Amino acid sequence: MNLLLLLTSISWFSSTIPSPGNKDEIRWSQRSDLTFSDFKGEVPPNTPWAALTSSIIYFTYNTYNGKISTIKVYASFKKNESWIKNNLNDVLAHEQLHFAITEYFARKLYDDAQELKEHTGDISIAANALFKSINKDCDRMQEQYDEATEHGMKLPVQEKWKTTVDKLLSEYDSYPAITD
């Protein structure tokens, strides 16, 4: 059995399912620093926002004899769904941190999913519950981040969030590199 779940951490639009090796994505394990040219989406007319980051967590697993045999997780930045209208370093730094928050929750999901390898019963129910919980927590943190920083306008608060997210990332090891 192979199941694919996606965690959406977009400022706040829905996302499409990525295909492995998709050229529209930047996986955190490939390169974590975003550049202005990575934002390839069309800027909506009359938007009050300076940018939008579309990022997801890709999560899939395989089972063998009723147990999880492999887990694949990574954070992905969606180039064609992300846009930036103000090429300012502060705006880019704010969007970079949205991607870092997604990476934090990808690491948390990978770590928590390891416990599912010992799970007995319906794996898909347990995996879906874990996924929904991580998704809810990620969305909540993304919203808190935007509210606290006023979408990046409060630079001292932005710096505090960067320190906090860097610390959170250090709490979890990176998941195995994805090569496909």
Side-chain angles (χ1 to χ4, degrees):
M1 175 182 195
N2 188 6
L3 182 66
L4 170 71
L5 299 173
L6 295 176
L7 178 97
T8 305
S9 172
I10 303 172
S11 300
W12 312 118
F13 299 112
S14 64
S15 179
T16 58
I17 296 174
S19 60
N22 187 341
K23 298 212 185 291
D24 173 46
E25 72 178 5
I26 296 171
R27 295 178 184 178
W28 184 273
S29 61
Q30 291 175 333
R31 177 175 60 101
S32 59
D33 292 333
L34 300 175
T35 65
F36 295 115
S37 65
D38 292 329
F39 293 78
K40 300 199 179 291
E42 188 173 322
V43 178
N46 304 318
T47 182
W49 309 117
L52 178 129
T53 289
S54 173
S55 58
I56 61 169
I57 291 177
Y58 177 93
F59 173 45
T60 188
Y61 61 89
N62 292 308
T63 60
Y64 179 74
N65 287 337
K67 296 246 184 199
I68 290 181
S69 57
T70 60
I71 297 169
K72 182 177 179 179
V73 174
Y74 65 85
S76 175
F77 173 85
K78 305 299 290 170
K79 294 179 188 180
N80 292 330
E81 296 174 20
S82 302
W83 51 264
I84 194 164
K85 73 176 182 180
N86 298 334
N87 285 0
L88 302 170
N89 289 332
D90 291 340
V91 172
L92 186 60
H94 181 80
E95 298 308 309
Q96 177 69 50
L97 205 50
H98 275 296
F99 190 26
I101 291 169
T102 303
E103 170 64 10
Y104 163 69
F105 282 98
R107 290 181 188 189
K108 182 169 178 18
L109 176 61
Y110 182 80
D111 190 68
D112 292 353
Q114 297 305 311
E115 295 176 16
L116 292 177
K117 288 183 175 181
E118 302 304 317
H119 183 78
T120 56
D122 193 333
I123 297 295
S124 63
I125 290 173
N128 280 321
L130 174 60
F131 174 76
K132 286 179 183 180
S133 175
I134 292 287
N135 188 26
K136 184 178 177 183
D137 292 346
C138 184
D139 285 347
R140 185 179 310 119
M141 183 179 277
Q142 297 283 6
E143 290 171 6
Q144 290 170 342
Y145 169 56
D146 272 336
E147 288 173 15
T149 63
E150 291 184 10
H151 297 271
M153 299 301 292
K154 290 184 172 181
L155 296 180
V157 178
Q158 176 78 25
E159 283 304 311
K160 287 180 184 177
W161 268 86
K162 180 171 180 0
T163 301
T164 298
V165 172
D166 287 346
K167 183 179 176 193
L168 289 171
L169 284 168
S170 72
E171 292 177 5
Y172 291 97
D173 292 330
S174 295
Y175 38 82
I178 307 299
T179 57
D180 64 357

